[in-house]
Amino acid sequence: MKVVCIGSGNVATHIASALKQHGNELVQIWSKQIENASELAKQLAADAIDDLSAIDPSADLYIIAVKDDAISTIASRLKDVQGLVVHTSGATSIDVLAAIPKHAVLYPLQTFSKTKSLDFFNDVPLCIESGNEQSLAKVKDIAHQLSASVYEVDSAKRKVLHLAAVFACNFVNHLYAIGSDILEQDDLHFDLLKPLIRETAAKVQAASPKDVQTGPAIRNDEVTIQRHLALLNGRPDLQELYKSLSKSIKKTL
Amino acid sequence: MKVVCIGSGNVATHIASALKQHGNELVQIWSKQIENASELAKQLAADAIDDLSAIDPSADLYIIAVKDDAISTIASRLKDVQGLVVHTSGATSIDVLAAIPKHAVLYPLQTFSKTKSLDFFNDVPLCIESGNEQSLAKVKDIAHQLSASVYEVDSAKRKVLHLAAVFACNFVNHLYAIGSDILEQDDLHFDLLKPLIRETAAKVQAASPKDVQTGPAIRNDEVTIQRHLALLNGRPDLQELYKSLSKSIKKTL
């Protein structure tokens, strides 16, 4: 397949690289900043462009991997292309692509870092959607090239998935950051927490998180909770968060 | 070493089993519930007891691995033993053992499940403390038997560590549970989130969590935040949590 990649961020980099790895030809990388496009294009032997009207209309696949609020503008410039146009956003309805003849969604449910190696792409759940049978078959094909986990998920459910991912990834990472911050203030090293972080994630691979909840809140251990709140004196934001999370855990009792 | 283990929960099970694995003799397992003591005692070829006055006073090591609020009562019954008495609590000062001639703390910074295999104990950070040089040397010896990561951490810092662990483990697991719950309500399977959970934990093994924060809050993407809050309509508890966590993330900007 001849592929045009619109975007050069983490998601664009990983999908474009995985497609290249599976024998597809990356013809163009578009980015608002030409330097960003060039960097990725060089890795993939593609052309770098920063002008949407320069997009090759004869490619087989157009990947839109830009910020959510830029998708509709990009889509309005792809109405005349021949190939399949997909966006990769968890929070955006497929309807934003409605004016494009062949369109679909390919949402990778993973957190990407540019520096991260690609060998884990096979493990990334890919959520696909299309209202058109042929486009669905096509995006399914592409998804199966890239990953062993392919799910058909409509726009409404994809939004729910994206919301759940915010809790299980973005908010979780912020709690790691708070843990790190608390340690730093007492000259303790974040390394101390790393095995615990690994094991906490490992535990729920085989068990339901509700069944393996531990800690003062689930034990209703008010003495420890009060001691922790006292330790957080002078950090009203963290006290508030500690209280909200403990309250929420107690509600599951 | 002859070891008496007081407690039969997750921490007791893992420490006692690891000590046994390293060639020590488990002589007694105490639990308030004799059935619980018996279950662990059988695995370790030890005697099960439920009477504190039946504790063998001639052992080399006494591990107190009970609920925090039971430690002082247990300690008051161990004043006349010969060996080293250690507690394993993150949130409890070493002072609770002050009346015992030889005492120390051995706090494993990990979350344990009884069913989990033991081969990972070598990776568990063990935080040790003692005000007495000989007892410190002894507990350091024991800790090095069990783990490659041994840290001297005093009671004040250990409490900070325990607090950080509540954020990075207990609260994190609760966010996994919320993610699972949100998916369940829309008939989506928790399996979809598992690679993301693994990768989120893997990322911070090599990077500072602050540097790899992603998601709508750190992007200041108010449109997505409002959509998520709308999706959580009818779940005011989760809306509150979503807002607190997003506010806290924005503060790091």
Side-chain angles (χ1 to χ4, degrees):
Chain A
M1 278 190 310
K2 283 171 67 179
V3 181
V4 171
C5 180
I6 297 146
S8 61
N10 291 341
V11 174
T13 299
H14 279 269
I15 294 192
S17 305
L19 282 166
K20 172 89 180 172
Q21 216 176 21
H22 286 85
N24 301 288
E25 181 191 356
L26 271 292
V27 289
Q28 293 176 320
I29 311 290
W30 175 91
S31 172
K32 218 163 38 175
Q33 265 81 43
I34 189 73
E35 315 83 59
N36 296 342
S38 297
E39 202 190 334
L40 181 56
K42 214 195 298 177
Q43 290 169 41
L44 302 173
D47 287 334
I49 56 173
D50 61 356
D51 179 358
L52 285 170
S53 56
I55 284 179
D56 180 348
S58 71
D60 303 293
L61 177 65
Y62 298 80
I63 306 273
I64 305 178
V66 297
K67 281 187 183 166
D68 289 359
D69 55 10
I71 297 175
S72 68
T73 312
I74 304 279
S76 69
R77 304 292 294 273
L78 294 173
K79 282 177 200 155
D80 302 321
V81 300
Q82 305 286 316
L84 179 69
V85 175
V86 306
H87 82 58
T88 55
S89 161
T92 308
S93 167
I94 192 169
D95 298 341
V96 72
L97 305 177
I100 298 168
K102 299 179 194 163
H103 65 266
V105 175
L106 178 74
Y107 167 50
L109 186 53
Q110 187 52 284
T111 174
F112 297 103
S113 329
K114 271 194 195 173
T115 53
K116 181 85 190 181
S117 88
L118 294 161
D119 47 7
F120 79 119
F121 210 99
N122 188 53
D123 191 36
V124 175
L126 294 180
C127 302
I128 59 169
E129 177 183 12
S130 184
N132 174 282
E133 217 172 294
Q134 275 184 303
S135 296
L136 182 65
K138 180 94 193 241
V139 76
K140 195 181 283 183
D141 241 32
I142 296 163
H144 278 296
Q145 266 188 41
L146 301 177
S147 170
S149 310
V150 178
Y151 301 85
E152 275 183 59
V153 177
D154 66 28
S155 289
K157 281 190 197 286
R158 191 170 60 251
K159 282 177 197 174
V160 171
L161 208 46
H162 184 250
L163 171 63
V166 167
F167 278 94
C169 166
N170 304 149
F171 289 165
V172 159
N173 185 75
H174 182 57
L175 295 184
Y176 296 158
I178 290 173
S180 167
D181 190 41
I182 289 171
L183 293 188
E184 228 168 64
Q185 299 231 332
D186 267 82
D187 295 320
L188 286 158
H189 202 283
F190 183 55
D191 280 353
L192 273 156
L193 282 182
K194 288 178 181 175
L196 181 65
I197 285 172
R198 289 199 296 272
E199 178 62 14
T200 303
K203 252 183 170 178
V204 298
Q205 303 298 315
S208 161
K210 243 176 269 177
D211 297 341
V212 295
Q213 184 66 50
T214 54
I218 197 78
R219 292 195 308 268
N220 233 324
D221 177 353
E222 208 47 50
V223 175
T224 301
I225 291 174
Q226 288 310 321
R227 279 187 193 147
H228 283 168
L229 290 172
L231 273 176
L232 291 170
N233 250 339
R235 304 288 304 266
D237 50 333
L238 295 188
Q239 285 178 323
E240 189 200 329
L241 215 48
Y242 189 103
K243 282 184 209 165
S244 307
L245 285 159
S246 295
K247 197 176 97 184
S248 181
I249 291 173
K250 284 180 194 168
K251 268 196 186 147
T252 66
L253 278 172
Chain B
M1 279 192 308
K2 284 171 66 178
V3 182
V4 171
C5 181
I6 296 147
S8 61
N10 291 340
V11 175
T13 299
H14 279 269
I15 294 192
S17 305
L19 283 165
K20 173 89 178 173
Q21 216 175 19
H22 287 86
N24 301 287
E25 181 190 356
L26 271 292
V27 290
Q28 293 177 321
I29 310 291
W30 175 90
S31 172
K32 218 161 41 176
Q33 265 82 44
I34 191 72
E35 315 83 60
N36 294 342
S38 297
E39 200 188 333
L40 181 55
K42 214 195 297 178
Q43 290 169 40
L44 303 173
D47 288 334
I49 56 173
D50 62 356
D51 180 359
L52 286 170
S53 57
I55 284 178
D56 179 346
S58 72
D60 303 294
L61 177 65
Y62 299 82
I63 306 273
I64 305 178
V66 296
K67 281 187 183 166
D68 288 359
D69 55 10
I71 296 174
S72 68
T73 312
I74 304 279
S76 69
R77 305 293 294 272
L78 294 173
K79 282 177 200 155
D80 303 320
V81 301
Q82 306 285 315
L84 179 69
V85 175
V86 305
H87 82 57
T88 56
S89 162
T92 309
S93 167
I94 193 170
D95 298 342
V96 73
L97 306 176
I100 297 168
K102 299 178 195 164
H103 64 267
V105 174
L106 178 74
Y107 168 50
L109 186 52
Q110 187 51 284
T111 174
F112 296 103
S113 329
K114 271 196 196 172
T115 52
K116 180 86 191 180
S117 89
L118 295 161
D119 47 7
F120 79 119
F121 210 99
N122 187 53
D123 190 36
V124 175
L126 294 179
C127 303
I128 58 169
E129 177 183 13
S130 183
N132 174 282
E133 218 173 292
Q134 275 184 304
S135 296
L136 182 64
K138 181 92 193 242
V139 76
K140 195 181 283 183
D141 241 34
I142 296 164
H144 279 296
Q145 267 189 40
L146 301 177
S147 170
S149 309
V150 177
Y151 301 85
E152 275 183 58
V153 178
D154 66 28
S155 289
K157 281 189 197 286
R158 192 171 60 252
K159 281 176 196 172
V160 171
L161 210 44
H162 184 250
L163 171 63
V166 167
F167 278 95
C169 167
N170 304 148
F171 289 165
V172 159
N173 185 75
H174 182 57
L175 295 184
Y176 297 157
I178 291 173
S180 166
D181 190 41
I182 289 171
L183 294 188
E184 226 167 66
Q185 299 230 332
D186 268 83
D187 295 319
L188 287 159
H189 202 282
F190 182 56
D191 280 353
L192 273 156
L193 282 182
K194 288 179 181 175
L196 181 64
I197 285 171
R198 289 199 297 273
E199 178 62 14
T200 304
K203 251 184 172 179
V204 298
Q205 303 297 316
S208 161
K210 242 176 269 175
D211 297 341
V212 295
Q213 183 67 50
T214 54
I218 197 78
R219 290 196 308 268
N220 233 325
D221 177 353
E222 207 49 50
V223 175
T224 301
I225 291 175
Q226 289 309 322
R227 279 187 193 147
H228 283 168
L229 290 172
L231 274 176
L232 290 171
N233 250 339
R235 305 287 305 265
D237 49 333
L238 294 188
Q239 285 179 322
E240 189 200 330
L241 216 47
Y242 189 101
K243 283 184 209 165
S244 307
L245 285 159
S246 295
K247 196 175 95 184
S248 181
I249 291 172
K250 285 181 194 168
K251 269 197 186 148
T252 66
L253 280 171

PDB file of all heavy atoms in Angstrom, chain B residues 64-93:
ATOM      1  N   ILE B  64       6.897  -9.751  63.054  1.00  0.00           N
ATOM      2  CA  ILE B  64       5.525  -9.300  63.328  1.00  0.00           C
ATOM      3  C   ILE B  64       4.937  -8.759  62.028  1.00  0.00           C
ATOM      4  O   ILE B  64       5.352  -7.710  61.530  1.00  0.00           O
ATOM      5  CB  ILE B  64       5.487  -8.186  64.401  1.00  0.00           C
ATOM      6  CG1 ILE B  64       6.185  -8.640  65.689  1.00  0.00           C
ATOM      7  CG2 ILE B  64       4.040  -7.782  64.701  1.00  0.00           C
ATOM      8  CD1 ILE B  64       6.224  -7.572  66.781  1.00  0.00           C
ATOM      9  N   ALA B  65       3.987  -9.496  61.469  1.00  0.00           N
ATOM     10  CA  ALA B  65       3.358  -9.066  60.211  1.00  0.00           C
ATOM     11  C   ALA B  65       1.849  -9.153  60.394  1.00  0.00           C
ATOM     12  O   ALA B  65       1.180 -10.026  59.849  1.00  0.00           O
ATOM     13  CB  ALA B  65       3.834  -9.940  59.054  1.00  0.00           C
ATOM     14  N   VAL B  66       1.344  -8.222  61.229  1.00  0.00           N
ATOM     15  CA  VAL B  66      -0.096  -8.160  61.531  1.00  0.00           C
ATOM     16  C   VAL B  66      -0.590  -6.760  61.181  1.00  0.00           C
ATOM     17  O   VAL B  66       0.201  -5.898  60.784  1.00  0.00           O
ATOM     18  CB  VAL B  66      -0.360  -8.449  63.030  1.00  0.00           C
ATOM     19  CG1 VAL B  66       0.062  -9.873  63.389  1.00  0.00           C
ATOM     20  CG2 VAL B  66       0.348  -7.427  63.920  1.00  0.00           C
ATOM     21  N   LYS B  67      -1.885  -6.531  61.348  1.00  0.00           N
ATOM     22  CA  LYS B  67      -2.416  -5.190  61.097  1.00  0.00           C
ATOM     23  C   LYS B  67      -1.724  -4.172  61.990  1.00  0.00           C
ATOM     24  O   LYS B  67      -1.387  -4.465  63.145  1.00  0.00           O
ATOM     25  CB  LYS B  67      -3.926  -5.170  61.396  1.00  0.00           C
ATOM     26  CG  LYS B  67      -4.728  -5.767  60.260  1.00  0.00           C
ATOM     27  CD  LYS B  67      -6.226  -5.579  60.479  1.00  0.00           C
ATOM     28  CE  LYS B  67      -6.973  -6.256  59.336  1.00  0.00           C
ATOM     29  NZ  LYS B  67      -8.402  -6.424  59.590  1.00  0.00           N
ATOM     30  N   ASP B  68      -1.551  -2.958  61.473  1.00  0.00           N
ATOM     31  CA  ASP B  68      -0.807  -1.924  62.197  1.00  0.00           C
ATOM     32  C   ASP B  68      -1.291  -1.751  63.631  1.00  0.00           C
ATOM     33  O   ASP B  68      -0.486  -1.649  64.563  1.00  0.00           O
ATOM     34  CB  ASP B  68      -0.922  -0.574  61.470  1.00  0.00           C
ATOM     35  CG  ASP B  68      -0.114  -0.568  60.170  1.00  0.00           C
ATOM     36  OD1 ASP B  68       0.533  -1.592  59.870  1.00  0.00           O
ATOM     37  OD2 ASP B  68      -0.143   0.450  59.468  1.00  0.00           O
ATOM     38  N   ASP B  69      -2.606  -1.743  63.817  1.00  0.00           N
ATOM     39  CA  ASP B  69      -3.105  -1.419  65.162  1.00  0.00           C
ATOM     40  C   ASP B  69      -2.968  -2.587  66.139  1.00  0.00           C
ATOM     41  O   ASP B  69      -3.269  -2.447  67.322  1.00  0.00           O
ATOM     42  CB  ASP B  69      -4.547  -0.890  65.110  1.00  0.00           C
ATOM     43  CG  ASP B  69      -5.481  -1.849  64.397  1.00  0.00           C
ATOM     44  OD1 ASP B  69      -5.069  -2.993  64.112  1.00  0.00           O
ATOM     45  OD2 ASP B  69      -6.623  -1.455  64.110  1.00  0.00           O
ATOM     46  N   ALA B  70      -2.514  -3.740  65.659  1.00  0.00           N
ATOM     47  CA  ALA B  70      -2.297  -4.878  66.556  1.00  0.00           C
ATOM     48  C   ALA B  70      -0.832  -5.025  66.969  1.00  0.00           C
ATOM     49  O   ALA B  70      -0.504  -5.818  67.862  1.00  0.00           O
ATOM     50  CB  ALA B  70      -2.773  -6.169  65.875  1.00  0.00           C
ATOM     51  N   ILE B  71       0.046  -4.226  66.347  1.00  0.00           N
ATOM     52  CA  ILE B  71       1.488  -4.415  66.587  1.00  0.00           C
ATOM     53  C   ILE B  71       1.872  -4.176  68.045  1.00  0.00           C
ATOM     54  O   ILE B  71       2.624  -4.951  68.640  1.00  0.00           O
ATOM     55  CB  ILE B  71       2.329  -3.495  65.655  1.00  0.00           C
ATOM     56  CG1 ILE B  71       2.087  -3.897  64.183  1.00  0.00           C
ATOM     57  CG2 ILE B  71       3.814  -3.602  65.970  1.00  0.00           C
ATOM     58  CD1 ILE B  71       2.750  -2.975  63.174  1.00  0.00           C
ATOM     59  N   SER B  72       1.327  -3.097  68.643  1.00  0.00           N
ATOM     60  CA  SER B  72       1.772  -2.771  70.007  1.00  0.00           C
ATOM     61  C   SER B  72       1.350  -3.843  71.008  1.00  0.00           C
ATOM     62  O   SER B  72       2.101  -4.181  71.923  1.00  0.00           O
ATOM     63  CB  SER B  72       1.269  -1.384  70.420  1.00  0.00           C
ATOM     64  OG  SER B  72      -0.125  -1.407  70.564  1.00  0.00           O
ATOM     65  N   THR B  73       0.165  -4.396  70.825  1.00  0.00           N
ATOM     66  CA  THR B  73      -0.284  -5.480  71.709  1.00  0.00           C
ATOM     67  C   THR B  73       0.637  -6.695  71.586  1.00  0.00           C
ATOM     68  O   THR B  73       1.046  -7.288  72.592  1.00  0.00           O
ATOM     69  CB  THR B  73      -1.725  -5.921  71.327  1.00  0.00           C
ATOM     70  OG1 THR B  73      -2.529  -4.759  71.205  1.00  0.00           O
ATOM     71  CG2 THR B  73      -2.307  -6.852  72.377  1.00  0.00           C
ATOM     72  N   ILE B  74       0.950  -7.048  70.353  1.00  0.00           N
ATOM     73  CA  ILE B  74       1.864  -8.177  70.117  1.00  0.00           C
ATOM     74  C   ILE B  74       3.218  -7.882  70.768  1.00  0.00           C
ATOM     75  O   ILE B  74       3.794  -8.716  71.476  1.00  0.00           O
ATOM     76  CB  ILE B  74       2.062  -8.417  68.601  1.00  0.00           C
ATOM     77  CG1 ILE B  74       0.737  -8.644  67.878  1.00  0.00           C
ATOM     78  CG2 ILE B  74       3.059  -9.554  68.363  1.00  0.00           C
ATOM     79  CD1 ILE B  74       0.153 -10.000  67.965  1.00  0.00           C
ATOM     80  N   ALA B  75       3.718  -6.663  70.535  1.00  0.00           N
ATOM     81  CA  ALA B  75       5.046  -6.294  71.036  1.00  0.00           C
ATOM     82  C   ALA B  75       5.125  -6.427  72.555  1.00  0.00           C
ATOM     83  O   ALA B  75       6.138  -6.859  73.108  1.00  0.00           O
ATOM     84  CB  ALA B  75       5.391  -4.872  70.591  1.00  0.00           C
ATOM     85  N   SER B  76       4.034  -6.054  73.221  1.00  0.00           N
ATOM     86  CA  SER B  76       4.040  -6.097  74.686  1.00  0.00           C
ATOM     87  C   SER B  76       4.176  -7.535  75.205  1.00  0.00           C
ATOM     88  O   SER B  76       4.534  -7.761  76.356  1.00  0.00           O
ATOM     89  CB  SER B  76       2.759  -5.459  75.233  1.00  0.00           C
ATOM     90  OG  SER B  76       1.655  -6.291  74.930  1.00  0.00           O
ATOM     91  N   ARG B  77       3.915  -8.525  74.366  1.00  0.00           N
ATOM     92  CA  ARG B  77       4.034  -9.932  74.770  1.00  0.00           C
ATOM     93  C   ARG B  77       5.372 -10.537  74.363  1.00  0.00           C
ATOM     94  O   ARG B  77       5.590 -11.732  74.569  1.00  0.00           O
ATOM     95  CB  ARG B  77       2.891 -10.752  74.127  1.00  0.00           C
ATOM     96  CG  ARG B  77       1.490 -10.234  74.420  1.00  0.00           C
ATOM     97  CD  ARG B  77       1.154 -10.398  75.893  1.00  0.00           C
ATOM     98  NE  ARG B  77       1.066 -11.804  76.258  1.00  0.00           N
ATOM     99  CZ  ARG B  77      -0.060 -12.517  76.159  1.00  0.00           C
ATOM    100  NH1 ARG B  77      -1.177 -11.957  75.742  1.00  0.00           N
ATOM    101  NH2 ARG B  77      -0.063 -13.790  76.509  1.00  0.00           N
ATOM    102  N   LEU B  78       6.237  -9.750  73.744  1.00  0.00           N
ATOM    103  CA  LEU B  78       7.518 -10.292  73.251  1.00  0.00           C
ATOM    104  C   LEU B  78       8.720  -9.692  73.976  1.00  0.00           C
ATOM    105  O   LEU B  78       9.850  -9.754  73.492  1.00  0.00           O
ATOM    106  CB  LEU B  78       7.646 -10.044  71.738  1.00  0.00           C
ATOM    107  CG  LEU B  78       6.650 -10.783  70.835  1.00  0.00           C
ATOM    108  CD1 LEU B  78       6.772 -10.306  69.395  1.00  0.00           C
ATOM    109  CD2 LEU B  78       6.878 -12.299  70.905  1.00  0.00           C
ATOM    110  N   LYS B  79       8.470  -9.122  75.183  1.00  0.00           N
ATOM    111  CA  LYS B  79       9.557  -8.426  75.884  1.00  0.00           C
ATOM    112  C   LYS B  79      10.663  -9.363  76.356  1.00  0.00           C
ATOM    113  O   LYS B  79      11.795  -8.936  76.574  1.00  0.00           O
ATOM    114  CB  LYS B  79       8.985  -7.669  77.090  1.00  0.00           C
ATOM    115  CG  LYS B  79       8.306  -6.376  76.683  1.00  0.00           C
ATOM    116  CD  LYS B  79       7.691  -5.703  77.901  1.00  0.00           C
ATOM    117  CE  LYS B  79       6.631  -4.715  77.486  1.00  0.00           C
ATOM    118  NZ  LYS B  79       5.641  -4.486  78.544  1.00  0.00           N
ATOM    119  N   ASP B  80      10.313 -10.636  76.547  1.00  0.00           N
ATOM    120  CA  ASP B  80      11.285 -11.547  77.149  1.00  0.00           C
ATOM    121  C   ASP B  80      11.941 -12.503  76.160  1.00  0.00           C
ATOM    122  O   ASP B  80      12.635 -13.433  76.571  1.00  0.00           O
ATOM    123  CB  ASP B  80      10.592 -12.358  78.259  1.00  0.00           C
ATOM    124  CG  ASP B  80       9.985 -11.437  79.307  1.00  0.00           C
ATOM    125  OD1 ASP B  80      10.647 -10.425  79.633  1.00  0.00           O
ATOM    126  OD2 ASP B  80       8.867 -11.722  79.766  1.00  0.00           O
ATOM    127  N   VAL B  81      11.724 -12.281  74.854  1.00  0.00           N
ATOM    128  CA  VAL B  81      12.336 -13.214  73.910  1.00  0.00           C
ATOM    129  C   VAL B  81      13.808 -12.867  73.698  1.00  0.00           C
ATOM    130  O   VAL B  81      14.231 -11.731  73.923  1.00  0.00           O
ATOM    131  CB  VAL B  81      11.590 -13.230  72.551  1.00  0.00           C
ATOM    132  CG1 VAL B  81      10.133 -13.625  72.744  1.00  0.00           C
ATOM    133  CG2 VAL B  81      11.716 -11.887  71.853  1.00  0.00           C
ATOM    134  N   GLN B  82      14.557 -13.888  73.276  1.00  0.00           N
ATOM    135  CA  GLN B  82      16.001 -13.727  73.103  1.00  0.00           C
ATOM    136  C   GLN B  82      16.348 -13.080  71.756  1.00  0.00           C
ATOM    137  O   GLN B  82      17.284 -12.293  71.665  1.00  0.00           O
ATOM    138  CB  GLN B  82      16.674 -15.118  73.130  1.00  0.00           C
ATOM    139  CG  GLN B  82      16.349 -15.935  74.352  1.00  0.00           C
ATOM    140  CD  GLN B  82      17.101 -15.416  75.563  1.00  0.00           C
ATOM    141  OE1 GLN B  82      18.290 -15.141  75.472  1.00  0.00           O
ATOM    142  NE2 GLN B  82      16.410 -15.260  76.682  1.00  0.00           N
ATOM    143  N   GLY B  83      15.644 -13.460  70.745  1.00  0.00           N
ATOM    144  CA  GLY B  83      16.036 -13.106  69.376  1.00  0.00           C
ATOM    145  C   GLY B  83      15.639 -11.700  68.972  1.00  0.00           C
ATOM    146  O   GLY B  83      15.097 -10.921  69.767  1.00  0.00           O
ATOM    147  N   LEU B  84      15.890 -11.418  67.710  1.00  0.00           N
ATOM    148  CA  LEU B  84      15.557 -10.120  67.138  1.00  0.00           C
ATOM    149  C   LEU B  84      14.075 -10.082  66.770  1.00  0.00           C
ATOM    150  O   LEU B  84      13.568 -10.997  66.124  1.00  0.00           O
ATOM    151  CB  LEU B  84      16.406  -9.896  65.877  1.00  0.00           C
ATOM    152  CG  LEU B  84      16.200  -8.586  65.112  1.00  0.00           C
ATOM    153  CD1 LEU B  84      16.715  -7.393  65.918  1.00  0.00           C
ATOM    154  CD2 LEU B  84      16.907  -8.639  63.749  1.00  0.00           C
ATOM    155  N   VAL B  85      13.405  -9.003  67.214  1.00  0.00           N
ATOM    156  CA  VAL B  85      11.995  -8.825  66.883  1.00  0.00           C
ATOM    157  C   VAL B  85      11.884  -7.716  65.829  1.00  0.00           C
ATOM    158  O   VAL B  85      12.353  -6.594  66.050  1.00  0.00           O
ATOM    159  CB  VAL B  85      11.174  -8.449  68.134  1.00  0.00           C
ATOM    160  CG1 VAL B  85       9.719  -8.149  67.754  1.00  0.00           C
ATOM    161  CG2 VAL B  85      11.248  -9.568  69.172  1.00  0.00           C
ATOM    162  N   VAL B  86      11.259  -8.019  64.683  1.00  0.00           N
ATOM    163  CA  VAL B  86      11.074  -6.979  63.658  1.00  0.00           C
ATOM    164  C   VAL B  86       9.601  -6.825  63.330  1.00  0.00           C
ATOM    165  O   VAL B  86       8.841  -7.787  63.341  1.00  0.00           O
ATOM    166  CB  VAL B  86      11.844  -7.290  62.343  1.00  0.00           C
ATOM    167  CG1 VAL B  86      13.329  -7.515  62.606  1.00  0.00           C
ATOM    168  CG2 VAL B  86      11.240  -8.467  61.594  1.00  0.00           C
ATOM    169  N   HIS B  87       9.187  -5.580  63.081  1.00  0.00           N
ATOM    170  CA  HIS B  87       7.870  -5.425  62.465  1.00  0.00           C
ATOM    171  C   HIS B  87       8.055  -5.042  61.002  1.00  0.00           C
ATOM    172  O   HIS B  87       9.160  -4.671  60.582  1.00  0.00           O
ATOM    173  CB  HIS B  87       6.961  -4.472  63.252  1.00  0.00           C
ATOM    174  CG  HIS B  87       7.140  -2.997  63.026  1.00  0.00           C
ATOM    175  ND1 HIS B  87       7.040  -2.389  61.798  1.00  0.00           N
ATOM    176  CD2 HIS B  87       7.398  -1.973  63.905  1.00  0.00           C
ATOM    177  CE1 HIS B  87       7.217  -1.084  61.918  1.00  0.00           C
ATOM    178  NE2 HIS B  87       7.457  -0.802  63.177  1.00  0.00           N
ATOM    179  N   THR B  88       6.986  -5.178  60.239  1.00  0.00           N
ATOM    180  CA  THR B  88       7.084  -5.075  58.783  1.00  0.00           C
ATOM    181  C   THR B  88       6.184  -3.966  58.235  1.00  0.00           C
ATOM    182  O   THR B  88       5.813  -3.982  57.064  1.00  0.00           O
ATOM    183  CB  THR B  88       6.654  -6.406  58.141  1.00  0.00           C
ATOM    184  OG1 THR B  88       5.331  -6.712  58.615  1.00  0.00           O
ATOM    185  CG2 THR B  88       7.591  -7.535  58.509  1.00  0.00           C
ATOM    186  N   SER B  89       5.862  -3.017  59.110  1.00  0.00           N
ATOM    187  CA  SER B  89       4.859  -2.011  58.738  1.00  0.00           C
ATOM    188  C   SER B  89       5.491  -0.726  58.212  1.00  0.00           C
ATOM    189  O   SER B  89       6.461  -0.209  58.777  1.00  0.00           O
ATOM    190  CB  SER B  89       4.001  -1.703  59.971  1.00  0.00           C
ATOM    191  OG  SER B  89       3.319  -0.482  59.796  1.00  0.00           O
ATOM    192  N   GLY B  90       4.924  -0.198  57.146  1.00  0.00           N
ATOM    193  CA  GLY B  90       5.407   1.059  56.598  1.00  0.00           C
ATOM    194  C   GLY B  90       4.990   2.253  57.415  1.00  0.00           C
ATOM    195  O   GLY B  90       5.718   3.232  57.530  1.00  0.00           O
ATOM    196  N   ALA B  91       3.821   2.157  58.048  1.00  0.00           N
ATOM    197  CA  ALA B  91       3.224   3.323  58.689  1.00  0.00           C
ATOM    198  C   ALA B  91       3.489   3.390  60.189  1.00  0.00           C
ATOM    199  O   ALA B  91       3.025   4.304  60.855  1.00  0.00           O
ATOM    200  CB  ALA B  91       1.720   3.332  58.427  1.00  0.00           C
ATOM    201  N   THR B  92       4.234   2.402  60.728  1.00  0.00           N
ATOM    202  CA  THR B  92       4.394   2.315  62.183  1.00  0.00           C
ATOM    203  C   THR B  92       5.833   2.615  62.581  1.00  0.00           C
ATOM    204  O   THR B  92       6.777   2.048  62.026  1.00  0.00           O
ATOM    205  CB  THR B  92       3.989   0.910  62.672  1.00  0.00           C
ATOM    206  OG1 THR B  92       2.700   0.604  62.141  1.00  0.00           O
ATOM    207  CG2 THR B  92       3.948   0.842  64.189  1.00  0.00           C
ATOM    208  N   SER B  93       5.981   3.503  63.579  1.00  0.00           N
ATOM    209  CA  SER B  93       7.314   3.875  64.062  1.00  0.00           C
ATOM    210  C   SER B  93       8.001   2.678  64.705  1.00  0.00           C
ATOM    211  O   SER B  93       7.358   1.749  65.209  1.00  0.00           O
ATOM    212  CB  SER B  93       7.185   5.004  65.080  1.00  0.00           C
ATOM    213  OG  SER B  93       8.401   5.170  65.779  1.00  0.00           O
TER     214      SER B  93
END
